Amino acid sequence: MKKFPKPWYRPHRGLWYVTLNGKQHNLGPNEAEAFDRYAKLLAAAQQQQPVMQSDSVVAIIDEFLHWLQRNRSAGTYGWFHYRLERFARKYPNLSAADLRPHHVQVWVDGYTLSKTSRRNYLRSVKRCLDWATKRGYLERSPIAQLEVPAAEQRENPVTPEAFRGLLAAAQKPQHRDLLNLAWLSGARPQELIRAEAHHLDAKNHRLVFPLKQSKGKKKVRV
């Protein structure tokens, strides 16, 4: 007879979880209710039928992160996971029905952040709830009216003098090559680090990243 894993308690969130068929399920904070949900999940798993999970914000975050892990890059998953895990710790027992924009604002105000970082924290939660709405988990996002500030333009460009100082500090020739390429091309650092021979269009003196490897995945990055 097939054995199924038992629920476990995650102290920093104050929630019970279980993993069935490779998928993690949030069972809620109450132990008795958690094991009741576990029994229903187990019955559904044995019959290979889907089952609705709790309507808590943490459950929605878990579903969203699980979807990102399967459908997006490791970098995108990590970006959201870092921020949403912090939000989940702030409100481990909050239901989606009770979530309001002020909850997100209070959470962000608890950190000392730059304008750009504040924007990223706010939009990570908003994106998660928008996803849940599009997937049918919610009829509408409870934070649809949450205001997200515009991105802050950086006003600290590297000067020629500063760049010469960087080159002088570089210990290895390959590091100087990388710095020169960044300076001359304006490419993003992660693009230069990930570039391989097949990205090189030698005839036109350029690197070309295919759509699936380009930031935003909306157009080819040249």
Side-chain angles (χ1 to χ4, degrees):
M1 181 176 178
K2 183 179 179 180
K3 293 183 179 180
F4 289 91
K6 299 293 184 183
W8 76 90
Y9 187 69
R10 188 175 288 179
H12 70 268
R13 283 193 177 183
L15 296 167
W16 287 86
Y17 287 86
V18 70
T19 299
L20 294 174
N21 297 325
K23 183 176 181 180
Q24 190 177 97
H25 298 269
N26 172 6
L27 302 175
N30 182 277
E31 182 176 0
E33 292 177 2
F35 274 82
D36 183 59
R37 289 194 184 106
Y38 167 67
K40 293 176 181 177
L41 282 167
L42 192 59
Q46 290 171 332
Q47 298 173 20
Q48 295 186 336
Q49 294 177 351
V51 65
M52 290 294 293
Q53 290 205 51
S54 118
D55 68 343
S56 72
V57 172
V58 172
I60 290 172
I61 287 174
D62 286 340
E63 288 289 339
F64 178 56
L65 291 176
H66 186 64
W67 179 84
L68 285 175
Q69 206 166 23
R70 297 193 312 268
N71 296 281
R72 293 294 183 266
S73 69
T76 298
Y77 169 78
W79 190 92
F80 278 99
H81 182 273
Y82 173 75
R83 292 160 179 80
L84 293 176
E85 178 67 21
R86 300 182 108 184
F87 188 70
R89 292 183 185 183
K90 175 71 174 176
Y91 301 111
N93 303 318
L94 184 66
S95 71
D98 293 331
L99 175 64
R100 295 293 182 270
H102 71 81
H103 289 109
V104 189
Q105 199 66 58
V106 167
W107 167 63
V108 172
D109 289 344
Y111 299 100
T112 301
L113 301 168
S114 68
K115 184 177 178 181
T116 298
S117 293
R118 287 176 63 84
R119 166 184 162 81
N120 289 337
Y121 273 55
L122 291 168
R123 71 188 184 94
S124 68
V125 181
K126 192 164 187 177
R127 169 75 176 92
C128 176
L129 273 293
D130 286 345
W131 173 89
T133 303
K134 291 176 182 178
R135 290 276 161 171
Y137 289 105
L138 303 171
E139 288 188 11
R140 62 179 296 275
S141 170
I143 57 171
Q145 301 304 314
L146 178 67
E147 294 183 1
V148 177
E152 187 177 33
Q153 275 200 323
R154 296 177 183 176
E155 297 181 357
N156 57 341
V158 178
T159 64
E161 292 76 19
F163 178 69
R164 285 194 288 270
L166 284 172
L167 281 181
Q171 298 294 314
K172 297 181 180 180
Q174 57 265 42
H175 292 166
R176 289 191 288 275
D177 288 341
L178 188 62
L179 286 169
N180 274 312
L181 187 56
W183 176 259
L184 294 170
S185 69
R188 300 181 179 96
Q190 64 268 30
E191 292 172 333
L192 298 178
I193 291 170
R194 294 173 183 169
E196 299 178 0
H198 63 89
H199 293 123
L200 178 64
D201 176 6
K203 181 179 179 181
N204 294 298
H205 307 284
R206 63 186 186 178
L207 293 170
V208 180
F209 291 87
L211 199 62
K212 65 180 181 180
Q213 295 180 340
S214 300
K215 185 175 181 180
K217 298 179 175 57
K218 293 183 178 179
K219 60 181 180 179
V220 170
R221 170 72 170 162
V222 178

